[in-house]
Amino acid sequence: MTPLLYASSGVAVFAIALYRIFTAGDVLRKIIAANLLGGGVFLILVAIARRPAAGIDPVPHALVLTGIVVSVSATACALALARRLEGTTLDDGDDGDDGSDDTEVAGRGP
Amino acid sequence: MTGAIGWAILIPLGGALLAAAAGERASRWIAALAAAATTCAAIGVAASVARHGPSRHPAGGWLAPLGIELRADGLAATMLLTIAAVAGLVAAHALADRSRAAACARSCPLWLFTWAALDALVVSGDIFNLYVTLELATLAAVGLVADGEGPDAPRAALRYLLFALPGSLLYLLGVALIYGEHGALDPATLGAHVGASAPDTAAMALMTAGLCLKAALFPLHAWPVLAYTRASPVAGALLAGLVGKAAFLVLVRLWLEVYPATFTSAAGPVLGTLAAGAILWGSLHALWQPRLRAVIAYSSVAHTGYLFMWFALGTRDALAGALFVVMSHAAASASMFLATGAIARALGHDRVEGLTGLAHRLPIPFFALALAGTSAMAMPPSSGFVGKWLLVRAAFETGHRLWAAVMLIGGLLAAAYVFRLLRRAFLPRPAGEPIAITRSSGGHAALALALVAIALGLAPGLALDLLRGGSAP
Amino acid sequence: MTLDALLPLAVVLTSLLPGIAIFWLAERDTRLRTTLNLSAAIAKLALVVVIGRGVLAGEIFETRLPFVPGADLVLRADSLSLLFVSLSAVLWLVTTVYAVGYLEGSPHRSRFFGFFSISVASTMGVALAGNLLTFFVFYETLTLSTYPLVVHRGTPEAVRAGDLYLRYTLSGGVLLLTGTAILYAAAGSIEFTAGGVLGELAGRRGLLIAAFALLIAGLGVKAALIPLHTWLPVAMVAPAPVSALLHAVAVVKAGAFGITRVIYDVYGIRLADRLGVTSVLAVVAAATILYGSLKALAQDDLKRRLAYSTVSQVSFIVLGVTVVGKLLTIGGIAHLVHQGLMKITLFFCAGNLAEELGIHGVRELRGAGRRMPLTMIAFTLASLGMIGIPPLAGFVTKWYLGAGAVEVGSSWVIAVLIASSLLNAAYLLPIVRDAWFGEPSAPWPARKGRFEVGLWLLLPTIVTAAASVGVGLFAATKLSPLAMAALIAEREIHP
């Protein structure tokens, strides 16, 4: 039963984070959502690792470790960029209200 | 030979680390050497595939299912060469610019990292490793965007990263589900077992959706456009030319080797519809962009559509066509970005309305723009035409007349946006309006890339033979 | 690959490579540029003579380069391509001479001659193409390389004309590509073969008719069939040598030649006739002949009048090759050459008049005959030829078309011929009359040189005028265009 619980909570975390990463306005919230996305997948992988017949499968753990490394570097990268942007919001570029550059791209798609 | 495929990844990776650690002068030398050596390694792999056919190499001696397999087949060899040609010429452009040595030294490690990640991606024979390489390419690309000009670059970079991340994590979720079902990550094993069960279908849908997001397929195409328009010309060339194609190549691998026919026949029409949307939407938007870079960015959106059209058509010739579009657009869009960079440096801007009468003042960038534009609008004798011909013919062969019509109309729209730029450049300058050209421009690398795009179209047989040299059906 | 197999490729390269080289020459290297141009044109002519001897003796020269799966790039010299290649090679030489004189001292000449040579290379490719895809490739490069020539002057008017030109030709290109792709998808490969290659598809009537409509619409843009002709009179803003090239050799002829190839070597005239598509095309061609002549009558600008005359005259070719009948075919194909020679003469004359006397309008021509007698003699001969006065070139064509119409019992073709000849006379003869017998409204400007106009301009005019008389006078000899047309009809079309 436990693996199913882990797996379904992993899916829930992933779904919530996916929703937030697209809807959150604040940069930091988006970065946290991206982290949670990764966390959801890792939970699922850990749940998968337990196989009733063969005991514990080591491969998913290796995958999770690799995934964490990638996720940490991505987060670090995002945070570094976010610090450079302190005080502004991400969506400025969309609305074209940031002064000189608004002519750069006309009519961006949805 | 086992060496060559590893060297194609290790040399740029090592070069990037060394260049990052070294001083300004030394890093340029290191980058130049690494670029040359990586190109040689790519040629080595291609020569071996051409002569002996495809081969597989377990990394570190570990065999699948535990180890990671590196594969040199027709697809990998062709893409290695494409990456080497484009990244190599972009590198030459970056290194030749002596006036901005500091900026160049800062970006060297980044584009070497990008190169290494892409090389690793095209030879990876393991669906988890594909995730890792895809993510590495994205991170390096984010660095390149952030290194761009103007105060807006960090925002564009962050936006790029935050759209790319859910894409790759959707893909990773799919990988996790697949592994849970079948306990394997190598395409050969998976291809034999993945079926039409609900978890398998969900996994494949997740992977496909993630890759579409990462490839910026319509309607999720807006996020890289911002990055392309804010990034430096070097970054724009690498992003639009190469990084933007990575997710497509991964999906091609899955489609050919992992996905069962039940899934591809259901997902094909969906992707075809999105591709058609991309072609029309991207081309229409490119028509009225006020800035050169934005025109090229939207042209890239449209070209992603041509690539994804293959999934709706599915024939072998159509795949050759789509991969030809990959090669042709890689060279052409990189050429256009570098040419735009040269023009923008000479003028101080890249507004389309300010280009009037400049063709004779800046002949080399505009010549490059004209040649690369020929390929972008898929006119003979360019490589773009070969790709489009194969796709359109396949569309008629498989009875997809609507998709054929979309691709043909897309070509017409492309002609409209390319000639919109060119005719203005060849118009005589209105009297009394002085041309403020601050400095003579480069643009030789742009011209070389444009010539690559044309040359591929004159003798497509070589590339087609190499593609066939072992690529899966 | 033997040397013979490389000859067709060499014919294309003799203008392509010099074209590319000329781009890199500095503007002031006039002498080098002219030498390069002329020697390339002469070399090409020599190659064409070599090929011609072989083809007349029954040989076929073929260059085959691997291209895409299912289609090679094939350049093949058969008798039909030989006719077009010879015409283009000869007229390229004279037009180059004319252009050198015409553009003396004007800016951007390296660009002009570069694209000029590439257009000729594309025309050669169109002529020599051995399959439909190769034909398309060169047909499109022809569009791309002629656009810079149309907008060469850079005036707002020229740019507008260029826009219109592009809109028409690129859209036409897409239609042609669509038809080509449909046929390749259905038949696998479309090699030009006498009698057609689509016999196996005869059951798929709808597909064949649709593809035919697309191909002809695509080709009809360049051949200026109504209602696709609008670009042609507007493109008149281009310099005179370009108009000459566009009208007599490259662009409109590529369209007419393509229609010939599609009817005879892709569909086969019998299949096309069975499908009922040729009768529709014949009606369009007849309508174009009459419409073009009527419009020409209404034009006051000399070059525009000549342009509408081209619209009308090119459709004689289309009409001749569309209606089943050997004599009609011969007339149509011979007109490919005859119209080329006569029309290029008229455009050279128009260029001379504009260059020397600043004449553009039809009414300004009064008395020009006394000031520029040689030019006006050439103009008169070509005009009489166009009208179809025996024994000039146009008469030969119309005689064969008429005799062919009688042979197959199409009396309406004869009616069209008579009406168009009357209209031709109505729009050309008043010019000739005014030029010789009218009084100039103001005294002519003084002569600048020894001749009535520069030698570089005069010589090509005289040569083409003489040639257009010669092909009529000597139509019965073995090497005349008419004899070649008869050979083509014999060998490839009505075997």
Side-chain angles (χ1 to χ4, degrees), chain B residues 69-370:
Chain B
E69 197 176 58
L70 300 182
R71 301 184 308 179
D73 55 12
L75 178 61
T78 323
M79 289 305 131
L80 280 178
L81 281 186
T82 308
I83 295 166
V86 174
L89 285 167
V90 172
H93 176 91
L95 292 171
D97 190 356
R98 297 194 160 276
S99 61
R100 298 195 301 174
C104 169
R106 205 169 57 234
S107 68
C108 281
L110 288 170
W111 53 254
L112 281 170
F113 266 129
T114 314
W115 196 341
L118 290 169
D119 274 3
L121 182 131
V122 297
V123 299
S124 282
D126 174 298
I127 61 170
F128 181 76
N129 205 41
L130 285 172
Y131 158 74
V132 175
T133 52
L134 203 54
E135 204 69 308
L136 287 179
T138 306
L139 287 177
V142 168
L144 280 169
V145 178
D147 195 39
E149 301 138 354
D152 235 17
R155 174 160 49 221
L158 189 54
R159 212 177 122 95
Y160 187 89
L161 178 62
L162 287 175
F163 269 92
L165 274 180
S168 36
L169 287 166
L170 279 169
Y171 173 77
L172 184 62
L173 182 59
V175 171
L177 292 183
I178 287 262
Y179 186 80
E181 284 296 301
H182 304 286
L185 293 168
D186 64 304
T189 315
L190 291 175
H193 292 102
V194 174
S197 71
D200 280 357
T201 309
M204 289 185 286
L206 284 168
M207 284 157 67
T208 309
L211 291 171
C212 288
L213 174 56
K214 247 187 128 94
L217 182 63
F218 175 85
L220 296 167
H221 59 273
W223 58 275
V225 170
L226 184 74
Y228 293 170
T229 49
R230 300 299 203 278
S232 68
V234 167
L238 288 177
L239 258 63
L242 299 174
V243 179
K245 314 279 190 293
F248 169 75
L249 294 174
V250 172
L251 192 52
V252 167
R253 285 279 192 208
L254 297 177
W255 206 268
L256 290 171
E257 296 167 17
V258 177
Y259 291 178
T262 46
F263 183 79
T264 54
S265 58
V270 178
L271 290 183
T273 312
L274 298 181
I279 292 173
L280 297 177
W281 185 271
S283 309
L284 280 173
H285 275 69
L287 269 179
W288 45 277
Q289 294 304 320
R291 313 221 9 200
L292 255 180
R293 269 185 235 178
V295 174
I296 307 167
Y298 274 103
S299 160
S300 299
V301 170
H303 275 84
T304 308
Y306 287 107
L307 305 183
F308 276 77
M309 210 37 116
W310 173 66
F311 298 113
L313 306 176
T315 68
R316 198 191 155 95
D317 281 351
L319 177 59
L323 292 172
F324 232 87
V325 176
V326 170
M327 294 185 259
S328 129
H329 186 252
S333 66
S335 162
M336 288 164 123
F337 267 110
L338 295 188
T340 304
I343 293 166
R345 275 189 67 197
L347 296 181
H349 69 83
D350 68 335
R351 286 191 301 278
V352 173
E353 64 198 31
L355 299 179
T356 316
L358 289 175
H360 298 286
R361 300 298 298 271
L362 299 167
I364 292 180
F366 275 104
F367 196 43
L369 210 56

Side-chain angles (χ1 to χ4, degrees), chain C residues 305-326:
Chain C
R305 186 172 284 197
L306 294 180
Y308 275 107
S309 158
T310 304
V311 171
S312 149
Q313 291 282 334
V314 168
S315 275
F316 277 116
I317 306 170
V318 180
L319 186 66
V321 299
T322 325
V323 183
V324 189
K326 192 166 166 182

Side-chain angles (χ1 to χ4, degrees), chain C residues 395-419:
Chain C
F395 166 74
V396 177
T397 313
K398 287 184 180 170
W399 174 261
Y400 269 84
L401 289 176
V406 171
E407 181 191 53
V408 299
S410 304
S411 48
W412 64 275
V413 172
I414 299 173
V416 169
L417 284 174
I418 293 171

